[in-house]
Structures are given as structure tokens and as C-alpha cells.
């Protein structure tokens, strides 16, 4: 197997073709109406609603998505597709844990230095740069930024709470409710007026319960305690759905900031072990926790779409969104529609 490329040779992520010509947030020209409506984030919100109602949209396969992203990049730049950065799933060769971990550490260290510099902490940035032995050019490259229109999007946390109160929350144990409340309270304050970044963090964390379920189910099968492949298939399909939500938010620039990646990835690890422990002790509690999170996500997306409806109707979705909902194999999406009648034929 070929050696993994060192961090220095990895190209910086480039904007997708769809970013060109998007409406500006403030001080720019008036946005032009788009034939894509209501927009990618609205489509993502509809996904949450569809998941609850058992209706089918059309997902796509990972290979098609990756191909579209590389093609969009090449079209925008007029060049052949280059190997994408490590942050783009599926475009990298696997390597040892040391190779992968050290490469990501080097990349995130550089992003941290850029974040410190942009925050006005130049002295701290310079001290860390010298301690790490990095070249001065590292701190002069521009930071990645979301599309300009993202700054104009808003989300009122109080209205979300009011809508959630009117809808009602599922019954749960005091311990699970307390953990859920702390999670929501923290995110509401960390990501005030930054909805896309908040959604990216949420979608990063939302995949982890399915990893936890599958981990424990594999353990039970290996020990000969219990075997139900059908449940594993359903959880795999659910995780695939969450993956595409995450990719849509990445296309909107939700993962540009070092701080957001730091919060999301560390919260995801903690959440993974929390749900794994809950599933081992009481699967009902683990599923109930996920239900609380999904209900909150549904209400949050619904409020977000309503609050930003005019702008979202003018925003064209990135290729990953259009191909997920318009083309591809319907099997994986239909697989987790468990509320449908048993005689319903999976497409």
C-alpha cells in the first residue's frame, strides 16, 4: 500500500462550484432568485420531518456524492480534480493510526494558529509557532470561511424552546433528561446566531448513537449472546442518512472554524461512550436519548426554515444535496422507515 502523504502535501479545501454567485450576507448586491427552492438547509429540515412521517425522498450512494464533489471542484477551477483534504470523507487512503493521527494533528495545529491570529492573539500564535518549529508562512495563509450568505441566517433559541414546549417532549428518565438539557443549553449559548455551525456540530454528534448501537450488537454476536442482523442494517441506514446531513452542513461551511471542529469531535467521542454505556445497561434508555435529540432537531430545523424562508428560497443547494435527494438508490433511505407496513416493498 502506498504511504500516506505528509500533511504538507495535502491541498487546502477549495470552494464548491455552487458557492459562486450565492447571495451575499451584508453590503453585497441583491440576491437573484434561484430555480432551486427552498434551498439546501430547507431540504435538510424536510428530511427530519420525512423521517418522522415515513415518507420517502430519494437518497444517493456515497460514490456518486464523492464524484460530484470532485467534479464540481474541477469545473470551478478549470482543472482536473486533485486529491481532496482529509476533511472530505472517501478521498483518502487508509493508514496506520499514528500516520492518520499525526497528520490531522499537524493540520489542526496550523488551523489553531490561524484562528489565534485572526482573533488578535498574535503573540500567543507566534509563541506556539516557534515552539512547534513551523515556518512563518503557516500563519499567513487565509482561513477557510463559509459562503457569505451564511452570516445572514439566524435562529432564535427562545422561539425553538417555545415551539418545543407546544409540541411536547417525549417521556424520559430524569438522568437522560438532565444530560439532554445540558447539551441543548450549552449549544444554544455557544452558537448564538451561528445556526449552520451549530447544525454541523449536531450532525457530527447525531451519527454517534448508531455507531454505539452497532458496536454493542457486534459484541453480543461475537459472544454468542444475541444476533439480529436486521437491527444492525436499520442502524447502518440511519447512520448513512445522518452522514449526508453532515456533508450538506460541511458544504455550507459549518466546519470551517477550528473551535467548531474541536467541540464537535470531542463531544462526539464523549457521546459515543455515553450511549454505548446506556445501551449495554438499558437499550431503552439509549434509544430514548436519541429520540429526545431527534425531536429537538426536528423542532429546531422547522423554526430555522420558517425564520429564514425568504433567503433559503434564493440559495442553490450544493451537489451533495441535490444528488442525495434527487438521484441514487432508494434502498438505504427506505430501510429505516420502520413505521411503514410490513408488506411495503423496499425499493
Amino acid at each position: 500500500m502506498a504511504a500516506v502523504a505528509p500533511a504538507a502535501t495535502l491541498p487546502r479545501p477549495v470552494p464548491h462550484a455552487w458557492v459562486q454567485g450565492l447571495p451575499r450576507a451584508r453590503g453585497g448586491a441583491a440576491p437573484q432568485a434561484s430555480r432551486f427552492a427552498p434551498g439546501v438547509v430547507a431540504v435538510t429540515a424536510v428530511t427530519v420531518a420525512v423521517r418522522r412521517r415515513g415518507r420517502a425522498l430519494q437518497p444517493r450512494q456515497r460514490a456518486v456524492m464523492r464524484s460530484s464533489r470532485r467534479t464540481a471542484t474541477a469545473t470551478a477551477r478549470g482543472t482536473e480534480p486533485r486529491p481532496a483534504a482529509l476533511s472530505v470523507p472517501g478521498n483518502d487512503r487508509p493508514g496506520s493510526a499514528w500516520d492518520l493521527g499525526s497528520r490531522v494533528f499537524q493540520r489542526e495545529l496550523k488551523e489553531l494558529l490561524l484562528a489565534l491570529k485572526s482573533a488578535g492573539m498574535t503573540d500567543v500564535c507566534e509563541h506556539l509557532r516557534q515552539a512547534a518549529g513551523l515556518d512563518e508562512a503557516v500563519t499567513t495563509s487565509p482561513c477557510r470561511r463559509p459562503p457569505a450568505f451564511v452570516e445572514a441566517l439566524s435562529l432564535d433559541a427562545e422561539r425553538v424552546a417555545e415551539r418545543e414546549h407546544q409540541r411536547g417532549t417525549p417521556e424520559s428518565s430524569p438522568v437522560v433528561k438532565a444530560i439532554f438539557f445540558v447539551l441543548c443549553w450549552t449549544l444554544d449559548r455557544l452558537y448564538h446566531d451561528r445556526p449552520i455551525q451549530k447544525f454541523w456540530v449536531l450532525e457530527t454528534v447525531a451519527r454517534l448513537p448508531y455507531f454505539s448501537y452497532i458496536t454493542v450488537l457486534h459484541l453480543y454476536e461475537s459472544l454468542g449472546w444475541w444476533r439480529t442482523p436486521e437491527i444492525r442494517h436499520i442502524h447502518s441506514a440511519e447512520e448513512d442518512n445522518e452522514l449526508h446531513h453532515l456533508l450538506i452542513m460541511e458544504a455550507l461551511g459549518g466546519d470551517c472554524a477550528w473551535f467548531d471542529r474541536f467541540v464537535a469531535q470531542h463531544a462526539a467521542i464523549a457521546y459515543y461512550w455515553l450511549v454505548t454505556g446506556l445501551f449495554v445497561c438499558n437499550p431503552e434508555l439509549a434509544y430514548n436519548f436519541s429520540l429526545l435529540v431527534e425531536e429537538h432537531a426536528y423542532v429546531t430545523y422547522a423554526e430555522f426554515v420558517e425564520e429564514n424562508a425568504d433567503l433559503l428560497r434564493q440559495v442553490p443547494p450544493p451537489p451533495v444535496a441535490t444528488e442525495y435527494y434527487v438521484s441514487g438508490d432508494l434502498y438505504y433511505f427506505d430501510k429505516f422507515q420502520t413505521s411503514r407496513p410490513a408488506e411495503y416493498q423496499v425499493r
Side-chain angles (χ1 to χ4, degrees):
M1 180 180 296
V4 178
T9 66
L10 292 175
R12 182 175 294 277
V14 297
H16 295 288
W18 70 278
V19 174
Q20 308 301 324
L22 290 179
R24 299 187 64 81
R26 299 182 182 90
Q32 301 297 318
S34 170
R35 63 188 179 93
F36 297 99
V40 57
V41 185
V43 171
T44 306
V46 171
T47 307
V48 181
V50 167
R51 181 164 50 196
R52 293 178 48 78
R53 291 172 172 79
R55 294 160 49 197
L57 297 175
Q58 295 186 352
R60 49 174 305 284
Q61 295 174 329
R62 289 189 183 93
V64 177
M65 171 200 63
R66 294 164 188 156
S67 175
S68 69
R69 297 183 76 171
R70 290 193 295 267
T71 303
T73 300
T75 302
R77 304 186 63 181
T79 61
E80 291 297 321
R82 297 189 305 168
L86 186 62
S87 59
V88 180
N91 291 331
D92 197 17
R93 292 190 179 94
S96 69
W98 176 261
D99 289 336
L100 296 175
S102 59
R103 178 172 58 176
V104 172
F105 178 80
Q106 292 179 36
R107 183 198 65 190
E108 292 298 330
L109 177 59
K110 295 174 183 178
E111 294 289 338
L112 171 60
L113 294 176
L114 290 172
L116 292 173
K117 185 177 180 180
S118 63
M121 304 175 66
T122 308
D123 293 339
V124 178
C125 172
E126 185 63 19
H127 177 74
L128 288 177
R129 184 191 67 77
Q130 293 179 0
L134 297 176
D135 189 84
E136 188 174 357
V138 170
T139 59
T140 59
S141 57
C143 295
R144 290 191 299 136
R145 296 186 180 278
F149 78 90
V150 170
E151 296 181 10
L153 299 172
S154 62
L155 178 64
D156 190 330
E158 294 183 0
R159 293 179 62 179
V160 171
E162 182 181 349
R163 185 186 289 256
E164 197 166 26
H165 177 73
Q166 294 174 354
R167 180 180 176 83
T169 56
E171 292 295 327
S172 182
S173 70
V175 175
V176 171
K177 274 194 172 182
I179 298 173
F180 171 72
F181 174 79
V182 170
L183 173 66
C184 295
W185 185 89
T186 303
L187 289 177
D188 286 345
R189 277 142 189 82
L190 280 179
Y191 292 97
H192 178 67
D193 287 337
R194 299 178 65 216
I196 296 301
Q197 290 80 0
K198 177 181 179 180
F199 294 154
W200 182 79
V201 173
L202 282 173
E203 297 298 350
T204 299
V205 174
R207 300 175 62 200
L208 271 298
Y210 307 114
F211 291 152
S212 298
Y213 304 154
I214 294 172
T215 296
V216 178
L217 291 174
H218 273 301
L219 175 63
Y220 290 169
E221 288 196 26
S222 300
L223 296 175
W225 290 0
W226 195 58
R227 180 170 59 194
T228 53
E230 183 64 20
I231 295 181
R232 285 194 285 103
H233 295 164
I234 292 173
H235 291 325
S236 295
E238 289 170 326
E239 186 278 320
D240 184 76
N241 184 55
E242 297 291 355
L243 167 64
H244 287 84
H245 295 174
L246 177 66
L247 293 173
I248 291 171
M249 293 305 162
E250 286 182 358
L252 291 169
D255 66 333
C256 285
W258 175 87
F259 175 78
D260 298 330
R261 295 194 301 275
F262 181 87
V263 170
Q265 291 162 1
H266 287 76
I269 295 299
Y271 191 43
Y272 170 82
W273 287 110
L274 171 65
V275 177
T276 299
L278 284 176
F279 198 87
V280 169
C281 297
N282 189 338
E284 186 175 343
L285 287 180
Y287 285 129
N288 182 255
F289 195 8
S290 293
L291 176 61
L292 290 175
V293 173
E294 293 297 334
E295 284 278 348
H296 179 71
Y298 169 76
V299 173
T300 303
Y301 278 127
E303 175 60 33
F304 175 77
V305 171
E306 184 176 310
E307 196 171 321
N308 300 275
D310 293 338
L311 179 57
L312 293 177
R313 289 191 178 96
Q314 303 172 60
V315 177
V320 61
T322 56
E323 294 199 24
Y324 178 62
Y325 290 105
V326 176
S327 65
D329 186 1
L330 290 171
Y331 172 79
Y332 240 23
F333 192 91
D334 284 350
K335 187 67 178 177
F336 66 86
Q337 304 296 336
T338 55
S339 61
R340 288 175 174 162
E343 62 272 13
Y344 181 84
Q345 184 177 1
V346 176
R347 293 167 289 178

